[in-house]
Amino acid sequence: MTIDLRSDTVTRPTAAMREAMARAEVGDDVFGDDPTVLRLQQRVAEMLGFEAALYVPSGTQSNLVALMTHCGRGDEYLVGQQAHCYRWEAGGAAVLGSIQPQPLPQQADGSIALADIAANIKPDDAHFARSRLLCLENTWGGRVLPQTYVQEATALARSKGLACHLDGARLFNAAVASGRSAAELAQPFDSVSVCFSKGLGAPVGSALCGSREFIQRAHRWRKMAGGGLRQAGIIAAGALHALEHHVDRLAEDHANARRLAEGLQGLPGVQVTPPQTNIVFVDLPAERAAGLVERLAERGVLCTGLYTLRFVTHLNVTADDIDRALPVLRELLSA
Ligand SMILES: *Cc1c(COP(=O)(O)O)cnc(C)c1O
């Protein structure tokens, strides 16, 4: 018995999803005639309230293509110090896009203080890179960004002539947890990236959404990045199936995360952050944390982390799995 709580990327396609993939009508998407890819792009654009969308192989490529579409050589983007599209994408925007990041500290809820945004938008002066873009992330560390903050931050950026991009890898988790539609959460942004391969449980892909004109320009960068795929309808069918069947059920993942967090209450020295969505963080004293991930794995419970352990619930984790993981966790986290 292994309960894999390392990430919501470990999900396997369901039987129904595989069937949809097997039945998918395909064409050559580089020629623009894969009907399933076209349907997926239309559907996700509609759900997020944009004119157009582009199916890309990964969230990393989606963010890279967005950055390269918004920014040119010598431009800069303002971004959280811990944000995925700054810290976790191998420096792609700088290396491949000649785009300078301006990383800024984040508050506990993932937001970047408005004063920090304002103070770091550069005047038009030959000494500075041109400030072109503000990037936010929702959810961030499993937290839903406060929507009033999103409104204020994007309005501030826009008042200084910047565009706004949202890394919404887990935007549907944010939508389900907040009771707002994905379109409402996406509305303040010029472009939004969403992942199909995380909580939605599809095997491959993300989508970048924006205006028709933006997506047209993004198309060229996707090709350059090597993201032009041929009979991509086979994998796009998995993503389309996920959009139709796996959005509302994210509430189950959130309930399972709460079940896990509640089950870990009361262990001496162990601090559990109450989850808003599908990610549970658990802080431990250093001496107890050493080698813990390995010991948990030997007992069939997989997670990641060092002093802060991270547990992610998803499509392939049931409430029963949580109940089976809890005694193991309670035993080893106390030892
Ligand atoms: C996973 C993730 C990505 C990147 O997605 P990949 O498909 O793994 O490249 C981008 N942003 C956030 C917030 C993510 O969690």
Side-chain angles (χ1 to χ4, degrees):
M1 166 211 76
T2 295
I3 300 166
D4 196 343
L5 298 162
R6 287 173 302 166
S7 174
D8 47 9
T9 56
V10 302
T11 54
R12 313 287 162 83
T14 61
M17 183 181 280
R18 283 181 186 269
E19 201 185 309
M21 294 171 74
R23 276 191 281 106
E25 252 190 284
V26 296
D28 186 330
D29 186 50
V30 171
F31 291 141
D33 59 28
D34 185 301
T36 307
V37 171
L38 295 177
R39 262 176 45 224
L40 171 65
Q41 290 177 164
Q42 195 171 11
R43 182 82 187 105
V44 70
E46 218 170 72
M47 286 173 84
L48 267 62
F50 285 96
E51 283 177 359
L54 195 60
Y55 184 51
V56 286
S58 70
T60 300
Q61 187 172 108
S62 190
N63 282 328
L64 175 66
V65 163
L67 283 158
M68 291 179 75
T69 307
H70 283 294
C71 302
R73 185 172 182 223
D75 290 349
E76 73 170 5
Y77 65 113
L78 279 62
V79 62
Q81 186 79 54
Q82 304 291 336
H84 203 283
C85 71
Y86 167 60
R87 197 181 181 91
W88 301 90
E89 294 181 3
V95 175
L96 304 170
S98 300
I99 305 161
Q100 163 162 286
Q102 169 61 75
L104 296 171
Q106 285 167 277
Q107 315 303 307
D109 64 2
S111 64
I112 305 167
L114 297 179
D116 286 336
I117 295 174
N120 283 281
I121 297 175
K122 318 292 185 296
D124 184 7
D125 178 305
H127 290 85
F128 302 125
R130 286 175 302 254
S131 305
R132 288 298 303 274
L133 182 69
L134 172 68
C135 291
L136 299 178
E137 186 174 315
N138 199 6
T139 61
W140 181 78
R143 286 167 165 274
V144 181
L145 267 193
Q147 194 62 10
T148 46
Y149 164 77
V150 171
Q151 299 282 4
E152 288 167 357
T154 52
L156 169 62
R158 215 159 262 127
S159 74
K160 308 278 187 186
L162 276 68
C164 301
H165 172 70
L166 178 67
D167 178 355
R170 296 188 177 87
L171 186 69
F172 288 106
N173 292 88
V176 166
S178 65
R180 298 175 192 265
S181 69
E184 183 183 353
L185 300 181
Q187 189 277 327
F189 296 92
D190 301 288
S191 58
V192 174
S193 171
V194 287
C195 286
F196 303 118
S197 55
K198 301 243 159 121
L200 294 184
V204 185
S206 284
L208 177 62
C209 302
S211 70
R212 211 175 303 287
E213 182 270 339
F214 178 87
I215 292 301
Q216 213 158 30
R217 290 190 291 121
H219 207 143
R220 175 173 274 110
W221 296 121
R222 183 185 73 171
K223 185 66 187 153
M224 189 184 288
L229 303 177
R230 301 296 176 170
Q231 282 70 43
I234 292 176
I235 48 176
L240 202 48
H241 180 88
L243 281 182
E244 276 155 22
H245 301 282
H246 293 172
V247 173
D248 293 339
R249 65 150 306 285
L250 290 171
E252 291 172 37
D253 299 343
H254 301 173
N256 284 334
R258 285 195 300 274
R259 190 182 189 94
L260 179 67
E262 281 157 19
L264 291 176
Q265 291 303 325
L267 298 177
V270 175
Q271 207 183 336
V272 184
T273 310
Q276 292 183 7
T277 61
N278 67 329
I279 306 181
V280 182
F281 290 102
V282 177
D283 285 296
L284 291 163
E287 66 279 7
R288 239 185 281 166
L292 185 57
V293 169
E294 291 74 18
R295 288 202 302 283
L296 283 168
E298 282 165 18
R299 300 278 301 272
V301 180
L302 306 187
C303 66
T304 61
L306 213 47
Y307 304 120
T308 301
L309 300 183
R310 191 181 89 142
F311 302 89
V312 187
T313 56
H314 53 75
L315 187 59
N316 295 152
V317 173
T318 62
D320 281 349
D321 290 331
I322 299 296
D323 292 344
R324 276 185 294 145
L326 277 170
V328 176
L329 286 166
R330 289 187 67 89
E331 179 192 330
L332 296 191
L333 266 59
S334 312

